[in-house]
Amino acid sequence: MEIKMKINIKKIMTAGLTAVMAAPILVGCSGSGKDADTIKVMLSGQKPTGWEQVLAEYNKKDAEETGVKLDVEWISQGSYKEKLNLRMIGSENYDLVFDAPFNKLKNFAAYEMYTPLEGYLESGEYPNLSKAFPDNIADANYYFGHLYGLPMMRTYGNGIDCVYYRKDLAKKYNIGNNGQIDNYEDLQKFFDAIQSGEEAAMNMVPFGVTGSRGFYSLFAQDLVDFAKNHIVRMNVGAFAHILLNEDNTEVVDIVYEGEDTSRYAAFPEKYRDGELLGMARLRKLREWNKYLEKDSLNRKDSWSMLTGLKCAAMVDNLDTYEQKATELKSAIPDAELGVFILNDGVRAMENEARVTDLKANNFVCIPAWSKKTDKVLKFLDWLYADEDNHDLFEQGIEGVNWNKVGEDKYEQLTPADRDKYSFPGYVLTWNPNFVKFQSSLPDDIYEYKKYDLEPEAYYESPLAGFTFDTSQLQTETSVISGITSKVNTALEHGALDNPVEVKRQNTQECLNNGLDVIREEAKRQINEFLKEKNSK
């Protein structure tokens, strides 16, 4: 099957760019499969130790079945965005690339530089892809009316938000249940104990944060309650609360955080003072700023603070638990890693504890000029056909890189002559249907990770699948971004006095400089999206 698309070359390249492109260095083409066609692949990250052996195993055993051999180039995360941009603008000869909204996906999708994939999934010719990427997931990951990449995601959210902390120190100060912290009150007691204890004399602060993230997911707004009250929090130029009508078919109003409370008149009564819509959180972050180092705005890495005895806790999510438990034990042998799950409903593993918009943060895409779309999709259909195929790439060679334990666990092996095989699954293999857990996980962490995979754990946002197109608002969004950046990072650190007043003044400055134009366009686009969604 061949599905063609129209490419506007004037949009995507200029004549001079191709001439200055350096030819890519490709690695990993080996093995048999004499009649197989080669597809060129570009992935982000460090080439895994043992990758050549895994690729040789595929080319020896499976390339004959798929008719596809792989020629893969690995590019470091720090260089990937720039190199992807150059090579795509130069229309270089790649057949499959990793991309993401934080890289160039939105730009390239807007200029039709990737092949739309919805027709292929609907054709029935790739049944394993249709099963791995069902309609609700595919529909939610459209950009500009098309599915321009397959969404790489293991869960319907972004991981389980948590605070990692020194549980051994919590035990020392008799905080929580034998050191287990399960509420903000005990977390604050722990911070107070560190701040007044002997750790303070060692220049240890209670909480380590990075300059870019600040407190991040602490004291998060209740997005599930919002959704059940027809409210969606979203960045439309700046962060706003979008109120829909009772049947979620039309926008009632869009109110930006920090606007005058009179703007909330149409909202349910409990939200009208703005406190539950962000203002109470700003005050709480200011109160908790005392637990941070003085120069937190310039901190690059908070985890190194914890392993380096410079802080007693940091914020993250459970996706990194295995790595962090290992690294902490290596850095501080007597330390014990504690986990405080931030969301009450998630901590209790309740249904509908978090909102999902079903969107992925990572994608694999086929450049529009590739002449091997069907070959690429045949390989991907094979990859997602069963766990053996999938696990060859994500886990490595069974018996060499890993051993299966039970139904959904594995033991990672370290071959005598090399490091462990570690594949960055988000660039090619992440999928809710194919997840294995390290057998060394504590039982409670294992249960949370399984819970994270359950669709019932999420409540679908009324605007799931909506993407705000700002391509015609570049001047306005650039101006507003410059204004909000003056205060947003500092507010996330609780670093400013009178944070609510600061936020209100900043929002007013945005309104004076084009934010209302963005608001009206957002209303138009959301209403158009809802009309189409409800007509199906």
Side-chain angles (χ1 to χ4, degrees):
M1 181 182 69
E2 184 70 28
I3 296 178
K4 299 196 177 191
M5 63 177 296
K6 181 179 178 183
I7 308 295
N8 188 335
I9 296 298
K10 289 181 181 179
K11 285 182 177 180
I12 63 176
M13 60 183 293
T14 59
L17 278 171
T18 305
V20 299
M21 297 296 146
I25 299 171
L26 296 162
V27 296
C29 188
S30 61
S32 60
K34 292 183 280 189
D35 300 325
D37 212 345
T38 298
I39 62 172
K40 293 185 177 181
V41 183
M42 182 176 175
L43 299 179
S44 172
Q46 183 177 351
K47 182 174 67 173
T49 299
W51 169 249
E52 286 86 356
Q53 289 81 3
V54 168
L55 200 56
E57 183 80 0
Y58 164 77
N59 284 333
K60 179 178 69 176
K61 292 175 55 181
D62 304 301
E64 231 173 278
E65 176 188 341
T66 63
V68 177
K69 290 176 67 176
L70 303 180
D71 199 349
V72 180
E73 179 183 15
W74 291 92
I75 295 176
S76 68
Q77 288 182 342
S79 303
Y80 191 83
K81 183 176 181 177
E82 178 186 0
K83 291 190 176 182
L84 176 68
N85 187 50
L86 289 173
R87 291 173 182 178
M88 287 292 292
I89 290 177
S91 301
E92 293 197 28
N93 189 26
Y94 290 90
D95 303 300
L96 185 68
V97 301
F98 166 77
D99 204 350
F102 56 81
N103 279 338
K104 304 298 293 185
L105 178 64
K106 292 180 182 178
N107 303 65
F108 293 160
Y111 292 121
E112 300 178 344
M113 294 169 73
Y114 289 133
T115 298
L117 300 177
E118 64 272 16
Y120 292 98
L121 293 185
E122 293 164 3
S123 71
E125 293 192 26
Y126 306 97
N128 301 312
L129 289 183
S130 299
K131 184 177 179 181
F133 305 97
D135 289 346
N136 65 326
I137 297 298
D139 291 348
N141 284 282
Y142 275 38
Y143 286 88
F144 309 105
H146 294 287
L147 181 67
Y148 281 113
L150 295 179
M152 299 290 103
M153 51 196 289
R154 285 187 296 189
T155 78
Y156 299 103
N158 292 309
I160 293 179
D161 293 323
C162 67
V163 167
Y164 288 124
Y165 67 95
R166 288 279 302 278
K167 192 172 185 178
D168 54 301
L169 297 181
K171 289 178 179 178
K172 171 184 173 180
Y173 291 110
N174 197 28
I175 306 293
N177 180 11
N178 194 29
Q180 178 57 48
I181 293 174
D182 282 327
N183 54 64
Y184 276 102
E185 291 76 14
D186 281 346
L187 183 65
Q188 186 163 24
K189 289 177 183 177
F190 176 63
F191 286 175
D192 287 337
I194 297 298
Q195 195 169 54
S196 60
E198 60 185 358
E199 289 74 22
M202 300 162 51
N203 294 319
M204 181 186 291
V205 296
F207 199 44
V209 304
T210 60
S212 59
R213 288 175 117 191
F215 282 96
Y216 192 46
S217 50
L218 263 69
F219 306 110
Q221 297 174 41
D222 190 344
L223 302 184
V224 173
D225 194 59
F226 288 179
K228 291 180 177 180
N229 282 279
H230 316 287
I231 300 167
V232 178
R233 183 178 186 264
M234 183 180 291
N235 191 325
V236 282
F239 275 106
H241 293 93
I242 301 161
L243 178 65
L244 306 177
N245 60 4
E246 286 293 317
D247 52 3
N248 293 329
T249 59
E250 189 177 10
V251 176
V252 175
D253 205 354
I254 298 177
V255 183
Y256 287 98
E257 290 182 0
E259 283 200 79
D260 189 271
T261 53
S262 62
R263 293 279 302 156
Y264 290 114
F267 282 64
E269 185 174 354
K270 64 181 176 180
Y271 296 117
R272 291 176 191 168
D273 62 1
E275 290 298 300
L276 296 177
L277 301 178
M279 299 305 101
R281 180 175 186 269
L282 291 178
R283 292 189 178 90
K284 183 64 74 172
L285 297 188
R286 179 56 182 159
E287 176 191 335
W288 282 45
N289 173 266
K290 63 186 178 182
Y291 299 125
L292 308 185
E293 61 179 329
K294 285 186 169 53
D295 198 25
S296 65
L297 284 160
N298 292 314
R299 173 63 62 177
K300 302 297 183 187
D301 177 22
S302 55
W303 176 244
S304 63
M305 289 181 69
L306 198 146
T307 58
L309 300 173
K310 297 298 182 184
C311 75
M314 53 87 67
V315 67
D316 204 332
N317 70 58
L318 276 188
D319 287 350
T320 63
Y321 178 85
E322 296 95 324
Q323 172 193 354
K324 285 188 163 46
T326 300
E327 290 179 357
L328 181 64
K329 186 59 67 175
S330 175
I332 313 171
D334 294 334
E336 185 179 354
L337 186 64
V339 177
F340 165 46
I341 305 296
L342 293 174
N343 183 298
D344 291 343
V346 172
R347 195 181 318 117
M349 292 193 278
E350 297 173 356
N351 287 346
E352 298 184 348
R354 286 170 292 168
V355 161
T356 179
D357 60 9
L358 301 176
K359 286 185 176 295
N361 293 323
N362 306 284
F363 292 78
V364 290
C365 308
I366 301 175
W369 46 85
S370 171
K371 299 184 185 307
K372 300 178 181 178
T373 296
D374 288 324
K375 292 288 188 181
V376 173
L377 292 174
K378 187 169 183 180
F379 162 71
L380 292 172
D381 194 66
W382 170 88
L383 182 67
Y384 286 100
D386 59 48
E387 66 175 13
D388 290 340
N389 298 350
H390 173 272
D391 291 346
L392 173 62
F393 282 81
E394 185 158 293
Q395 307 293 351
I397 301 170
E398 190 170 3
V400 175
N401 303 113
W402 66 289
N403 282 329
K404 189 173 182 179
V405 178
E407 289 300 312
D408 61 356
K409 294 182 181 180
Y410 69 96
E411 174 192 14
Q412 196 168 29
L413 305 177
T414 305
D417 60 339
R418 57 182 182 270
D419 294 332
K420 292 179 180 179
Y421 178 80
S422 180
F423 186 84
Y426 64 90
V427 303
L428 186 64
T429 59
W430 271 8
N431 190 269
N433 296 332
F434 300 96
V435 179
K436 281 186 169 62
F437 308 98
Q438 284 193 12
S439 58
S440 59
L441 280 177
D443 289 344
D444 59 338
I445 303 300
Y446 167 66
E447 291 299 330
Y448 276 121
K449 284 179 173 275
K450 284 207 304 181
Y451 162 78
D452 196 28
L453 300 177
E454 296 172 4
E456 296 78 16
Y458 298 88
Y459 185 88
E460 188 171 325
S461 168
L463 293 181
F466 173 73
T467 300
F468 186 38
D469 176 11
T470 60
S471 58
Q472 302 303 312
L473 297 165
Q474 293 185 14
T475 299
E476 291 86 353
T477 55
S478 177
V479 170
I480 298 305
S481 177
I483 294 171
T484 58
S485 66
K486 292 189 294 187
V487 303
N488 278 1
T489 303
L491 288 173
E492 277 298 312
H493 286 247
L496 301 177
D497 289 328
N498 304 313
V500 171
E501 182 59 31
V502 168
K503 181 66 173 179
R504 293 199 190 287
Q505 291 175 2
N506 188 259
T507 298
Q508 187 58 52
E509 185 179 353
C510 290
L511 291 167
N512 294 341
N513 286 276
L515 191 56
D516 263 325
V517 174
I518 298 174
R519 175 170 20 217
E520 292 309 307
E521 177 60 15
K523 283 182 183 178
R524 186 192 70 77
Q525 289 187 28
I526 294 169
N527 281 331
E528 188 176 282
F529 166 81
L530 291 171
K531 183 178 180 180
E532 182 178 350
K533 178 180 178 180
N534 287 288
S535 67
K536 292 180 179 178

